[in-house]
Amino acid sequence: YGTYDGAVIFYEPMISSVFLKGVRDYSAEIKQPKAYAKKGYHPSAYRIMYKENEGEYWILLDGLVLH
């Protein structure tokens, strides 16, 4: 979570290169707050996907829910 002036303003999964080398697909839930400062879509999970044919990892915020 990134904050500014006492408010959460972004979500950013921090994943090490060592962890990435050991996974191809991974997902985890994002702990949800009790309240939201602004109405909008908020992620409830993040995913890591390895695209074999492209040789790339994709890291996605997933499970967007309107709060």
Side-chain angles (χ1 to χ4, degrees):
Y1 303 100
T3 64
Y4 175 76
D5 200 21
V8 174
I9 59 169
F10 67 89
Y11 304 97
E12 180 182 8
M14 300 297 286
I15 301 156
S16 72
S17 59
V18 172
F19 182 82
L20 285 177
K21 289 177 183 176
V23 299
R24 290 292 186 234
D25 286 306
Y26 178 83
S27 64
E29 292 185 12
I30 297 173
K31 186 176 177 181
Q32 300 296 295
K34 292 180 183 177
Y36 296 85
K38 292 185 179 182
K39 183 178 180 178
Y41 287 93
H42 298 269
S44 61
Y46 71 92
R47 290 176 42 187
I48 300 170
M49 300 180 340
Y50 181 70
K51 298 290 190 171
E52 188 81 38
N53 59 338
E54 299 170 27
E56 296 177 346
Y57 284 94
W58 289 14
I59 301 169
L60 312 156
L61 292 174
D62 205 6
L64 296 176
V65 178
L66 180 61
H67 290 280

